[in-house]
Amino acid sequence: MYTDEELQNIVTMKRKRLWIAIVPAAILLAVAIAVFVYGQTSRSDTLWRLTAALTVVGGGYFLFYFGLCVRPLIFYERHVQNMLYGRRHENTGLLKEVGEQVCEKNGVQCRPVMINIGEKDDGKDDRLYYFDLKKEWPDLPLGSRVTIISNDMMVADVRAA
């Protein structure tokens, strides 16, 4: 389900967005420093307000953009790395439920998937996994026998058993 090419695309997109977050904030900070230095050399009592405003705007922009656009990519990059190179566990069982509700696991939006690994429909044998919402669920009907390869409850691959 996950490929090295997908991981490279995520890393490239993360770098671009990080630059979009850092460059404007750094420019605003540099302007704030220049205004501060000019205000100190000209002994101005009012330029500190402009310096403070530029600092707040630059910091606010950086925090907002980073939190909204960069941080989710950092989480997803870590997720894809774990799916590709992390420790994997394999379980085979009957597919009981594929939830439609969206939940968040380790910063990645997922949907819950429940399989039963026992011979009977015993609740103690139920296993809960989380399937990445960015991936398409394969055409597997409920009650079919499936094999789930996972890393820390996150589905790395699913196929018919």
Side-chain angles (χ1 to χ4, degrees):
M1 272 186 2
Y2 297 94
T3 63
D4 286 322
E5 180 181 324
E6 180 180 8
L7 180 61
Q8 287 297 17
N9 290 340
I10 293 167
V11 169
T12 303
M13 189 182 312
K14 181 187 76 170
R15 284 186 188 142
K16 286 178 185 176
R17 289 185 182 182
L18 194 56
W19 278 109
I20 292 172
I22 289 174
V23 169
I27 290 171
L28 284 172
L29 183 61
V31 170
I33 290 170
V35 168
F36 176 75
V37 169
Y38 176 74
Q40 290 298 314
T41 57
S42 67
R43 302 205 188 274
S44 172
D45 290 336
T46 57
L47 281 181
W48 68 269
R49 292 182 186 137
L50 180 59
T51 301
L54 287 171
T55 303
V56 168
V57 168
Y61 167 79
F62 176 79
L63 291 175
F64 178 76
Y65 190 83
F66 185 86
L68 189 66
C69 298
V70 179
R71 194 165 181 251
L73 280 177
I74 291 171
F75 286 138
Y76 198 67
E77 176 189 10
R78 186 178 307 137
H79 169 70
V80 173
Q81 284 176 344
N82 287 339
M83 295 302 106
L84 289 174
Y85 309 118
R87 179 178 287 176
R88 295 179 175 197
H89 302 282
E90 185 172 317
N91 274 327
T92 301
L94 295 176
L95 182 62
K96 284 184 69 174
E97 179 185 347
V98 178
E100 291 301 319
Q101 67 271 24
V102 176
C103 57
E104 189 173 307
K105 176 88 167 124
N106 299 329
V108 178
Q109 289 188 337
C110 306
R111 74 171 61 161
V113 175
M114 181 84 68
I115 66 169
N116 186 287
I117 61 171
E119 294 301 320
K120 297 180 182 176
D121 195 21
D122 187 8
K124 291 185 275 184
D125 293 330
D126 287 348
R127 299 293 183 263
L128 176 66
Y129 295 99
Y130 296 97
F131 188 79
D132 184 2
L133 266 182
K134 293 183 180 179
K135 298 295 181 180
E136 188 173 330
W137 180 256
D139 189 27
L140 298 168
L142 293 179
S144 63
R145 197 150 184 82
V146 296
T147 298
I148 290 185
I149 300 171
S150 66
N151 175 289
D152 188 30
M153 297 176 60
M154 296 293 288
V155 176
D157 195 14
V158 60
R159 59 181 177 262

